[in-house]
Amino acid sequence: MPRDEMLTIDQVIDETGVPRATFYGWRQRRKGPKSIKLPNGAVRIRRSELDRWIATLEEAA
């Protein structure tokens, strides 16, 4: 089974096309995809979590 890709915030922003401030606002309000904070302080979002989150937006539309 392939590993679940860990995306950077820049990659997620590029893929979704939202401004950085919007993404951080979603994170702060817990409205965006679940993220992982690594011990070095870097934030990552699993590919599967981003795909799941986008699917929930499609269902709600």
Side-chain angles (χ1 to χ4, degrees):
M1 181 175 194
R3 280 181 55 173
D4 198 2
E5 182 182 11
M6 301 283 275
L7 304 170
T8 65
I9 289 176
D10 286 338
Q11 290 172 308
V12 172
I13 288 169
D14 287 344
E15 189 165 327
T16 58
V18 299
R20 181 176 299 276
T22 299
F23 180 80
Y24 279 109
W26 289 342
R27 280 194 72 219
Q28 190 174 38
R29 292 187 314 275
R30 299 183 190 267
K31 298 288 184 185
K34 293 179 185 175
S35 57
I36 300 164
K37 190 166 188 179
L38 301 176
N40 66 358
V43 175
R44 298 290 185 268
I45 295 91
R46 292 185 192 275
R47 162 60 65 192
S48 60
E49 172 57 21
L50 179 61
D51 292 343
R52 182 206 62 78
W53 179 73
I54 290 171
T56 64
L57 297 176
E58 290 174 351
E59 292 168 6

